[in-house]
Amino acid sequence: QVQLVESGGGLVQAGGSLRLSCAASGRTFSMNTMGWFRRAPGKEREFVAAIRGTGGNTYYAEYADSVRGRSSISTDSAKNTVYLQMNSLRPEDTAVYYCAADLNLSRSLMMREGAYTYWGRGTQVTVSS
């Protein structure tokens, strides 16, 4: 089993920044793909960003169009933690942000919530206008 715990959410004004963290524990060797998804009030959960390790210090990442250019996903393998840095936040970024993990997801699958086995409980991000 893999346990994921998100942190770093909060209330921020539009234009501000937040860095979300997702700490993994347990059988972390069984995953190399980490994703962030979010669910806004009254909406379906949607993809935000994902990153996959391909060996050594090589990674590739994907971003949703809605956050590309404003967000950056990164990982610290020594800490088993993945980060989502979000800048220029907008009120429409308000949502519960979830971390997800799995193993060897392709570029297309890493953007699909159904492809992930492990999920955290989420952290609330609220952006005020």
Side-chain angles (χ1 to χ4, degrees), residues 30-92:
S30 64
M31 62 176 197
N32 63 357
T33 309
M34 304 286 291
W36 286 97
F37 292 76
R38 67 186 182 187
R39 178 181 283 134
K43 295 186 177 181
E44 297 291 319
R45 189 156 57 183
E46 64 176 6
F47 170 74
V48 178
I51 187 167
R52 175 184 158 176
T54 58
N57 291 320
T58 304
Y59 299 87
Y60 61 75
E62 293 288 348
Y63 296 90
D65 290 342
S66 58
V67 302
R68 186 176 290 113
R70 302 188 292 124
S71 298
S72 177
I73 188 170
S74 61
T75 184
D76 184 335
S77 58
K79 296 181 179 180
N80 290 321
T81 299
V82 64
Y83 304 97
L84 181 66
Q85 176 70 42
M86 298 190 297
N87 305 317
S88 302
L89 283 163
R90 305 165 181 169
E92 53 264 39

Side-chain angles (χ1 to χ4, degrees), residues 83-106:
Y83 304 97
L84 181 66
Q85 176 70 42
M86 298 190 297
N87 305 317
S88 302
L89 283 163
R90 305 165 181 169
E92 53 264 39
D93 293 318
T94 295
V96 178
Y97 284 71
Y98 298 89
C99 176
D102 212 287
L103 181 66
N104 291 338
L105 297 183
S106 66

